[in-house]
Amino acid sequence: MTDMSVSKRIAIVGSEEATVEKTPDRASDLLAAAARVFARQGFHDTKVSDIVGEAKVAQGTFYLYFKNKQDIYFRLVSGCCQRVLDHLAAASAVRKQVKTANEARENSLRLMIELFRLLESEEAILRLILTDSSSIDPAIDKMLISLKEALVEHVELHLRVGIQDGYFRQLDTKIIAQSMVGMVYHLSFERFVRGRDLGVPLEQLAQEIVNFEYQGLLI
Amino acid sequence: MTDMSVSKRIAIVGSEEATVEKTPDRASDLLAAAARVFARQGFHDTKVSDIVGEAKVAQGTFYLYFKNKQDIYFRLVSGCCQRVLDHLAAASAVRKQVKTANEARENSLRLMIELFRLLESEEAILRLILTDSSSIDPAIDKMLISLKEALVEHVELHLRVGIQDGYFRQLDTKIIAQSMVGMVYHLSFERFVRGRDLGVPLEQLAQEIVNFEYQGLLI
Amino acid sequence: MTDMSVSKRIAIVGSEEATVEKTPDRASDLLAAAARVFARQGFHDTKVSDIVGEAKVAQGTFYLYFKNKQDIYFRLVSGCCQRVLDHLAAASAVRKQVKTANEARENSLRLMIELFRLLESEEAILRLILTDSSSIDPAIDKMLISLKEALVEHVELHLRVGIQDGYFRQLDTKIIAQSMVGMVYHLSFERFVRGRDLGVPLEQLAQEIVNFEYQGLLI
Amino acid sequence: MTDMSVSKRIAIVGSEEATVEKTPDRASDLLAAAARVFARQGFHDTKVSDIVGEAKVAQGTFYLYFKNKQDIYFRLVSGCCQRVLDHLAAASAVRKQVKTANEARENSLRLMIELFRLLESEEAILRLILTDSSSIDPAIDKMLISLKEALVEHVELHLRVGIQDGYFRQLDTKIIAQSMVGMVYHLSFERFVRGRDLGVPLEQLAQEIVNFEYQGLLI
DNA sequence: AATGAATGAGTATTCATTCAT
DNA sequence: TATGAATGAATACTCATTCAT
């Protein structure tokens, strides 16, 4: 179910479907196996031998494609981060046309749903990112901080536009952007990592959050 | 000499100064040392020898007071959790008198500030809890989940009261409570773990959040 | 392109230039590459992958021509030994005509110079023999012992002849022959392996040694 | 039979001989064990597990006293070198009184015998030094070069004095000193490492060499 | 209680060698 | 012949834990 789109992008153009079932791409096999094992056991309790066992390749094969355990972990996490960032960039492109509060709200809702859907599809790696990724490698820390900052930046821009266009009140964009990102992180953790759906489908979850963000608690 | 309020807050106000200068409490020494070393290096990069080195006791002494490395970590984290829970219980007791939206808002602000102050004083252990604590010990996972659920429960009750009393709109209390806890977790992480104060004093930070919670983004 | 005279000195003088530019002699390529890499890194720090890398052939190709790493090392060393032994045999043939002390001395000088010249041309492999070759393979040990014994034998014969012919004093030919071989080994090491020329050209070095051998230290 | 005098220098002054039999000095045990195993198998074929097996201590104990395999080897070799250098220094002190050729010759003989006796007592480590020590550690290479240079320096001084005092002929002291050291190295190798006594007792061996050095081959 | 030397299980990583193409 | 991906045996080193003193 994971989407290890790293390689294995086998163009099944038409002919010879027979070869499709067996394109021996060790790097992809290992990446997919690692995602499964890491998600199950966490980074620190995963041995390289677990990964190669899961991927059904020899121990030495691992080191043909990855420098070490941190390396494969990093590639897993950075792949996921990249996909989220790509999604964000695509979303940013669309935002331009927003003029009114209602348009902004609809836009926010749509983005929230799309983001949740993306995260849902990255469940296994999201689990790693949200529970496991500290102190493994400085490069990983840096990447995750970058990701978060990109999200905050995205939200902040959205807020500044709203304030400028007069439909958001004066507020500290830094703080509120951080708060909003915090909500999303935490709800993603509950839903996709802990598996607690909070009794609602994804779309409704997004709706509730957007309502809360826009209107607050008061009647 | 210890900077850890973990235990032994023995106020020997007048008598027996002789024992004061050197309270030979190895357990406290070790806990304090462990807090410092864990905060600096994280759980996985900390050796028992680092802790005993910092505490200036012998290797074997460690095992006189703690079953193993997980044990001392657990005690550190559970101590912190307990203090937060105690604080929460005290806060709950006070809430009863709230009647109007304004009272609720003032109450929320006060609680938020107090909570931030408490977390600020627990900085070292908070760092552990927010960056390091996964997959170390099931007991730790369980405790942290309990803590979070207690917080969510507390917020939810607050929300339900507000809805019942007519000053909060109809909303999914579970989702919104989770969202609000997510905000606090995330802002605490940014401020106390990453050391980013977002350009404002603690009180103003709390004010911004409470405003956002109550009014939302819209004008 | 190879700098190794090890084998395949195929002089294709006139016909078929096409094959000349690229004599696809993998064995020679590998031997030459190995000599270079071994001289640079020593036997134990040289990987087969270093050799094939230097020779620009695939890993598997190595095992088409050599049983293993010891094998190529052995072939390198035994080639060099053989050339020294051949030289020695040639020298022995000439010695017969010596009658007087002066003739013997001239003969010794000439042989010494020739030997040094030969060793100079074998610098890379000499380095292996003199610094690296122990405990790699019993066959190598045996070969090097044979070489040394041949040298000692050669010297001893020279000494016995001199004694018999009355121009050398009574002495323990075994011990003195060993001593003389020891001198040559050691000076070769200093000069060709460590690169210390001791401030004199090769010819003068030989002259000094022969003087010392014949006259000793005393005035 | 080895003399691992590194530590274990237990002063058996008088009382309590009982404790002597069992002074548990792991470092010495390991050093002695390593000397035996290295001498038997050579550096590269010796595993740390071989050493701890021979010393009958646990694997981890090794790393309590030595950084790694190179470290224990280095300590073994440097101890031996130090003892040879100490011996040399003591010998240098005595030389001063030499005036005539005969005194020099007697002195040389005495020193040669003493040196051989010392080397004989260091047999196990001498084997390592003469067969095994290259390319293990730059520090070892440097130390062995220093040792050799100290020996050469010692001999050269001896030669210069003899030339100055008129009993040695004009000769290139550098080259001849190197030659003489080469003889000693080689004969030591044959006798102590290969175990070939060349049919004579040590004293006679020394006598033959000194005769050769002083008088040369000619009658 | 306190010590710290000793233990040994646990694991990442390398690299010679093979073999299907 | 030539290739180079795959193999997996081999081994150094760490560090939590014990226990005799």
Side-chain angles (χ1 to χ4, degrees), chain B residues 26 58 60-61 65:
Chain B
R26 304 312 202 199
T61 305
Y65 297 99

Side-chain angles (χ1 to χ4, degrees), chain C residues 1-218:
Chain C
M1 184 80 5
T2 45
D3 55 17
M4 273 261 353
S5 49
V6 170
S7 49
K8 284 278 177 169
R9 203 88 60 92
I10 319 158
I12 311 175
V13 239
S15 62
E16 297 194 310
E17 257 101 289
T19 66
V20 169
E21 54 161 279
K22 194 110 214 192
T23 308
D25 186 341
R26 304 312 202 197
S28 300
D29 291 351
L30 282 163
L31 276 167
R36 270 174 270 136
V37 182
F38 282 139
R40 199 189 308 138
Q41 305 170 203
F43 179 81
H44 291 287
D45 290 342
T46 295
K47 299 170 242 166
V48 172
S49 67
D50 293 334
I51 298 172
V52 300
E54 177 89 15
K56 295 190 193 345
V57 300
Q59 190 90 354
T61 305
F62 181 91
Y63 292 91
L64 247 33
Y65 298 98
F66 304 96
K67 231 179 69 219
N68 49 37
K69 198 165 64 137
Q70 288 90 55
D71 184 30
I72 197 170
Y73 192 95
F74 176 81
R75 292 227 229 156
L76 234 26
V77 169
S78 71
C80 177
C81 287
Q82 201 47 59
R83 288 187 292 280
V84 175
L85 289 172
D86 290 352
H87 180 86
L88 216 60
S92 294
V94 181
R95 191 168 44 193
K96 304 293 149 94
Q97 305 109 2
V98 169
K99 278 287 129 181
T100 70
N102 266 355
E103 281 169 9
R105 194 161 178 165
E106 273 163 33
N107 199 35
S108 291
L109 179 58
R110 194 170 36 73
L111 289 182
M112 185 79 75
I113 292 171
E114 282 171 6
L115 179 60
F116 278 148
R117 290 220 177 103
L118 176 58
L119 296 178
E120 192 171 34
S121 76
E122 301 275 355
E123 194 220 281
I125 301 175
L126 192 64
R127 159 168 281 119
L128 304 185
I129 291 177
L130 294 180
T131 61
D132 220 32
S133 296
S134 262
S135 314
I136 287 175
D137 191 292
I140 293 172
D141 290 351
K142 226 164 65 183
M143 158 160 304
L144 293 178
I145 285 172
S146 299
L147 175 65
K148 197 189 279 182
E149 269 164 9
L151 285 164
V152 169
E153 178 60 34
H154 179 92
V155 174
E156 232 186 311
L157 185 61
H158 165 65
L159 293 177
R160 277 201 293 266
V161 167
I163 293 168
Q164 195 147 15
D165 289 0
Y167 50 84
F168 286 162
R169 57 185 181 77
Q170 292 294 338
L171 38 76
D172 188 316
T173 55
K174 256 203 169 50
I175 294 172
I176 304 309
Q178 290 281 0
S179 301
M180 287 166 69
V181 168
M183 288 198 277
V184 172
Y185 264 66
H186 188 250
L187 289 166
S188 301
F189 175 80
E190 288 294 315
R191 185 166 190 113
F192 303 125
V193 178
R194 293 198 55 212
R196 309 190 61 222
D197 68 3
L198 303 171
V200 295
L202 234 162
E203 291 73 16
Q204 196 177 329
L205 179 66
Q207 182 69 69
E208 283 288 336
I209 300 165
V210 170
N211 286 347
F212 174 47
E213 287 176 351
Y214 277 71
Q215 293 177 248
L217 302 171
L218 294 177

Side-chain angles (χ1 to χ4, degrees), chain A residues 132-148:
Chain A
D132 218 33
S133 295
S134 262
S135 311
I136 286 175
D137 192 292
I140 294 173
D141 290 351
K142 226 166 64 184
M143 160 160 302
L144 293 179
I145 286 173
S146 298
L147 175 64
K148 196 187 280 181

Side-chain angles (χ1 to χ4, degrees), chain A residues 26 58 60-61 64-65:
Chain A
R26 301 317 199 199
T61 304
L64 242 36
Y65 299 97

Side-chain angles (χ1 to χ4, degrees), chain D residues 32-52:
Chain D
R36 269 174 271 135
V37 182
F38 281 140
R40 195 189 310 141
Q41 305 170 205
F43 179 82
H44 290 287
D45 290 342
T46 295
K47 290 167 267 171
V48 173
S49 67
D50 294 335
I51 298 172
V52 300

Side-chain angles (χ1 to χ4, degrees), chain A residues 56-124:
Chain A
K56 292 190 179 28
V57 300
Q59 190 87 354
T61 304
F62 180 91
Y63 293 92
L64 242 36
Y65 299 97
F66 303 97
K67 233 176 69 220
N68 48 35
K69 199 166 60 134
Q70 287 90 55
D71 186 30
I72 198 170
Y73 192 94
F74 176 81
R75 292 225 230 157
L76 235 26
V77 168
S78 72
C80 177
C81 288
Q82 200 49 57
R83 288 186 294 276
V84 174
L85 290 171
D86 289 352
H87 180 86
L88 215 61
S92 296
V94 182
R95 191 168 46 191
K96 305 292 152 93
Q97 305 110 5
V98 170
K99 278 286 128 181
T100 70
N102 267 354
E103 280 170 8
R105 194 162 177 163
E106 274 163 32
N107 200 35
S108 290
L109 178 60
R110 193 170 37 72
L111 288 181
M112 186 78 75
I113 291 172
E114 282 171 7
L115 180 59
F116 278 147
R117 290 221 176 101
L118 175 59
L119 297 178
E120 191 172 36
S121 76
E122 302 273 357
E123 192 219 282

Side-chain angles (χ1 to χ4, degrees), chain B residues 1-213:
Chain B
M1 184 81 4
T2 45
D3 55 16
M4 273 263 350
S5 48
V6 170
S7 48
K8 284 279 176 165
R9 203 88 60 92
I10 318 158
I12 312 175
V13 239
S15 62
E16 298 194 312
E17 259 100 287
T19 66
V20 170
E21 55 163 275
K22 193 110 216 190
T23 308
D25 187 341
R26 304 312 202 199
S28 300
D29 292 351
L30 282 163
L31 276 167
R36 268 174 272 137
V37 182
F38 282 139
R40 199 189 307 140
Q41 304 168 204
F43 179 80
H44 290 287
D45 290 342
T46 295
K47 300 170 241 167
V48 172
S49 67
D50 293 334
I51 298 171
V52 300
E54 176 89 14
K56 293 191 199 335
V57 301
Q59 189 91 353
T61 305
F62 181 92
Y63 292 91
L64 247 34
Y65 297 99
F66 304 97
K67 231 179 70 220
N68 49 37
K69 199 164 65 135
Q70 288 90 57
D71 185 30
I72 197 170
Y73 192 94
F74 176 80
R75 292 226 230 155
L76 235 26
V77 168
S78 72
C80 178
C81 288
Q82 200 48 58
R83 287 187 294 279
V84 175
L85 290 171
D86 290 351
H87 180 87
L88 216 62
S92 295
V94 182
R95 191 168 45 193
K96 305 294 150 98
Q97 305 110 3
V98 169
K99 279 285 125 180
T100 69
N102 267 355
E103 281 170 7
R105 193 162 179 164
E106 274 164 32
N107 200 32
S108 289
L109 179 59
R110 194 170 36 73
L111 288 182
M112 185 76 77
I113 291 172
E114 282 172 8
L115 179 60
F116 278 147
R117 289 219 177 104
L118 175 59
L119 296 178
E120 191 172 36
S121 76
E122 302 274 356
E123 193 218 281
I125 301 175
L126 192 65
R127 161 168 281 118
L128 304 185
I129 290 177
L130 294 179
T131 62
D132 220 31
S133 296
S134 262
S135 313
I136 288 175
D137 192 292
I140 293 173
D141 290 351
K142 224 165 65 185
M143 157 161 304
L144 293 179
I145 286 172
S146 299
L147 175 65
K148 197 186 280 180
E149 270 164 9
L151 285 164
V152 169
E153 178 61 34
H154 179 93
V155 173
E156 234 188 309
L157 185 61
H158 165 66
L159 293 177
R160 279 200 292 265
V161 168
I163 294 169
Q164 193 146 15
D165 289 0
Y167 52 83
F168 287 162
R169 56 185 184 78
Q170 292 293 339
L171 39 75
D172 187 316
T173 55
K174 254 201 172 48
I175 293 173
I176 304 308
Q178 289 281 1
S179 300
M180 288 167 69
V181 168
M183 287 199 278
V184 172
Y185 264 65
H186 188 250
L187 289 166
S188 301
F189 175 80
E190 286 295 315
R191 186 168 189 110
F192 304 125
V193 177
R194 293 198 56 213
R196 310 190 60 223
D197 68 4
L198 303 171
V200 295
L202 233 162
E203 291 74 16
Q204 197 176 329
L205 179 66
Q207 183 69 69
E208 283 289 337
I209 299 166
V210 171
N211 287 347
F212 174 46
E213 287 177 351

